[in-house]
Amino acid sequence: MDSLLFLCARRVVDHRPLPALPAHLYPVLFQVAFLHGRAQVVRDLVTTWPFPVLNFQRLMGHRELLWDFPCMFCIEAVIKGVVVQLRRELEEPGRDSGLRVLDMTGLSDSVSGDTAARSTVPFISEALAKACVEVSKHQQEFQTHGSKWHKGCSGEAASAVALETLGVDVHTDLFVKIRSYEILRDALQTGATGPLRLKCRELQAVAISASEIVTLLESLDPSCLRRVDLVLNNLGLTGLSVILPHLSRFPELRSLKVQYSKVDVRHLTPESAMTIRCVARQLGMLPSLRELNLGCNWLSGNLRQILCELQAPLESLELRSCSLLPTDLTFLSQSFHPAALKKLDLSGHIMSQGLLEPLRLLLEETSASLLHLNLTSCYMADSHLAVLLPTLLRCSRLRFLGLHGNSLSTAALKGLLQKTLELPDLHRVVYPTPKDCYKLELWYSNLVAVQDEKLLAVSTAEISQLLENSGRTDVIWTSSIFGHRDLDYFSL
């Protein structure tokens, strides 16, 4: 039930223009205006924001509230409000609304499978970049024509007065792809010393070249960046070795993700081996690195070489579909990383290819710290799960277990559920459609396994009944890979 203050605020934001308001009412009015899609009111509030900081997440609380379509208009209104404020400060020296920091970080923390979130993230980045370029152009025009706007005061003097107190730092997470690369590049380069300054906390770059990534990195504030996520860039070893030296200028960089970078490990040349050693040395020059995601098939047989130069143990390691060999997992279990690991993702590996025992030994070593384990699509059968189960039960802090895409029976899943109830922190298990819930059908002269909806309904009901009887209402068992957040070790 809404509070009386909240209900009163709803009446206020239904009318424009807003009356003169005491400062302490701005936060609740902002919340109400945003949640009810009153974009013009949101812009008005930001334009006259009486505090030095506007922190989006602190005002709006849970991020799930932000992922509906009207929020895009309200986010755009926030940015427009800042632009209006800065233009006024340029044109009216001495005017000061008070806002100096707009914190929009966290809005790019996507919920898996949430298409609205995925469309909102690049929208925010592009809107901020366009605003940054717009304000910089307006500043240049003001410096050139200031004397016409302020009679009796030279353009240079007016500009100096305006610039003395002018400027808003926007702390944000940036998403860049081919279409938005140029505007973001221009925004970062022109806005570095301009009125609207982008302070990037997390950078996600999709399908752009190594040289373009380097150009962006050279324009970022070294003190802010903590995560870099490179997706579908097909960098290869050479591209990665070009980028890594530019990451060493970011002392707070804690996370590096390089996803879908392809190299044929069957034909590594002496030059490739030399580049691997170079990449390892460059990774070792990132002293704050705690999270590493390398979705690269050139890791096969090379994990020791890649990780050997790291200065501190990793807290999160994602090695999806990396064609790892048993020797890779053996090295990892004997390194200094397992005792610190909170998140481990080995999805896409074939457990029957000699990986099961090295994996079991690795889980033994990380059992005291592990919170998140993802073994999706690892070709695991009931027998493999039976081998791992005693070790899984030793992972007393485990919160998430991903087993989707494996060939497990209803009986094996029910046994897993009953035994993992003793894990006090386990909150979510993503399990596969049981293998006994499929039937063979003839499609175009071929037998194809398809889900038997009746058998699946029975299996799902049995699992739900076991959970209900256990009294563990806090545990979620689901066959959907969507709708849950990936573990962010930064917040732990």
Side-chain angles (χ1 to χ4, degrees):
M1 182 178 294
D2 293 332
S3 68
L4 180 59
L5 177 60
F6 201 85
L7 293 172
C8 291
R10 288 182 62 179
R11 296 291 299 273
V12 173
V13 301
D14 282 338
H15 303 282
R16 287 187 74 226
L18 295 175
L21 298 165
H24 70 274
L25 290 180
Y26 270 72
V28 68
L29 289 170
F30 182 93
Q31 293 171 13
V32 172
F34 193 99
L35 292 174
H36 290 84
R38 302 291 193 269
Q40 293 295 327
V41 175
V42 169
R43 191 186 75 168
D44 293 345
L45 290 168
V46 173
T47 302
T48 57
W49 195 253
F51 307 109
V53 177
L54 194 164
N55 187 305
F56 225 100
Q57 290 292 74
R58 197 171 298 161
L59 283 171
M60 300 309 302
H62 299 297
R63 63 185 176 185
E64 287 84 353
L65 297 174
L66 302 176
W67 299 131
D68 52 18
F69 188 71
C71 88
M72 300 177 80
F73 295 106
C74 290
I75 289 173
E76 187 177 31
V78 171
I79 298 168
K80 287 181 177 179
V82 174
V83 171
V84 170
Q85 172 206 318
L86 290 174
R87 288 176 68 108
R88 287 178 180 175
E89 290 184 356
L90 272 169
E91 298 168 9
E92 302 174 30
R95 183 186 182 98
D96 183 3
S97 71
L99 181 61
R100 287 294 165 254
V101 176
L102 172 63
D103 192 333
M104 301 185 75
T105 55
L107 300 185
S108 62
D109 293 338
S110 62
V111 178
S112 299
D114 193 325
T115 55
R118 288 202 296 268
S119 63
T120 304
V121 173
F123 169 81
I124 296 172
S125 298
E126 290 186 44
L128 282 172
K130 291 175 182 177
C132 188
V133 171
E134 176 188 341
V135 174
S136 293
K137 288 181 178 178
H138 189 72
Q139 180 190 38
Q140 293 171 4
E141 292 172 359
F142 174 77
Q143 291 172 321
T144 303
H145 305 292
S147 58
K148 296 180 181 180
W149 297 338
H150 298 280
K151 295 181 180 180
C153 181
S154 71
E156 291 184 1
S159 177
V161 173
L163 292 176
E164 188 175 341
T165 59
L166 179 66
V168 172
D169 291 336
V170 181
H171 294 263
T172 185
D173 304 326
L174 293 179
F175 178 100
V176 57
K177 52 187 177 180
I178 295 175
R179 191 187 74 177
S180 60
Y181 167 73
E182 289 188 1
I183 185 66
L184 277 168
R185 177 201 62 197
D186 294 345
L188 291 170
Q189 290 178 346
T190 62
T193 58
L196 189 58
R197 298 173 290 270
L198 300 184
K199 306 289 184 180
C200 180
R201 184 188 69 160
E202 300 183 4
L203 176 67
Q204 184 176 29
V206 178
I208 64 175
S209 68
S211 62
E212 289 170 332
I213 293 169
V214 168
T215 297
L216 295 177
L217 291 173
E218 289 177 338
S219 303
L220 294 178
D221 185 331
S223 66
C224 300
L225 191 67
R226 74 171 195 175
R227 174 177 279 151
V228 172
D229 188 355
L230 309 176
V231 185
L232 290 172
N233 295 284
N234 197 24
L235 297 171
L237 283 168
T238 303
L240 187 57
S241 66
V242 168
I243 292 170
L244 283 175
H246 297 273
L247 296 179
S248 61
R249 63 188 286 264
F250 300 100
E252 298 302 317
L253 184 69
R254 299 188 66 192
S255 172
L256 174 63
K257 299 185 178 184
V258 183
Q259 304 181 59
Y260 312 112
S261 179
K262 301 299 182 183
V263 174
D264 189 351
V265 296
R266 296 167 299 181
H267 301 97
L268 283 179
T269 64
E271 291 77 13
S272 298
M274 185 179 300
T275 306
I276 286 177
R277 291 193 293 272
C278 178
V279 167
R281 287 194 300 270
Q282 292 165 343
L283 286 174
M285 296 174 66
L286 306 177
S288 298
L289 192 67
R290 297 296 180 270
E291 180 176 62
L292 187 60
N293 178 338
L294 294 175
C296 317
N297 60 5
W298 45 265
L299 286 181
S300 180
N302 295 301
L303 194 61
R304 177 188 298 273
Q305 290 88 332
I306 288 293
L307 301 185
C308 66
E309 299 283 347
L310 294 182
Q311 299 180 30
L314 295 168
E315 298 177 21
S316 175
L317 181 60
E318 299 180 57
L319 302 171
R320 301 179 187 179
S321 303
C322 292
S323 305
L324 295 180
L325 302 179
T327 52
D328 293 315
L329 292 187
T330 298
F331 154 73
L332 191 57
S333 66
Q334 296 172 352
S335 69
F336 66 171
H337 299 291
L341 277 178
K342 298 176 182 178
K343 178 177 180 178
L344 178 64
D345 189 337
L346 295 174
S347 300
H349 288 91
I350 304 176
M351 287 299 120
S352 60
Q353 294 184 346
L355 294 177
L356 188 62
E357 182 59 17
L359 173 60
R360 189 190 68 78
L361 293 174
L362 175 58
L363 293 179
E364 287 274 0
E365 296 299 320
T366 194
S367 60
S369 60
L370 195 63
L371 306 178
H372 180 116
L373 176 63
N374 198 344
L375 298 174
T376 296
S377 299
C378 283
Y379 300 87
M380 290 176 58
D382 291 357
S383 58
H384 301 131
L385 183 61
V387 171
L388 291 180
L389 188 54
T391 307
L392 284 176
L393 296 179
R394 295 187 58 186
C395 300
S396 57
R397 300 178 62 194
L398 196 65
R399 298 181 187 178
F400 174 91
L401 177 61
L403 294 172
H404 194 272
N406 291 295
S407 184
L408 302 175
S409 67
T410 298
L413 290 170
K414 288 166 64 176
L416 175 69
L417 188 155
Q418 291 173 315
K419 292 179 180 178
T420 55
L421 288 173
E422 65 187 65
L423 297 176
D425 296 330
L426 187 62
H427 174 67
R428 183 178 293 267
V429 177
V430 182
Y431 66 94
T433 299
K435 65 180 182 180
D436 47 283
C437 294
Y438 286 90
K439 60 183 178 181
L440 293 177
E441 290 187 356
L442 191 64
W443 284 34
Y444 302 103
S445 302
N446 295 313
L447 284 175
V448 179
V450 296
Q451 287 186 14
D452 186 313
E453 298 301 329
K454 291 183 179 179
L455 291 176
L456 180 59
V458 172
S459 176
T460 302
E462 291 177 355
I463 290 174
S464 298
Q465 189 62 50
L466 282 174
L467 269 180
E468 184 177 343
N469 294 342
S470 73
R472 285 291 303 274
T473 57
D474 58 314
V475 182
I476 298 172
W477 272 62
T478 177
S479 58
S480 173
I481 60 175
F482 303 118
H484 67 273
R485 306 176 191 174
D486 287 336
L487 179 72
D488 185 351
Y489 80 96
F490 286 114
S491 62
L492 300 176

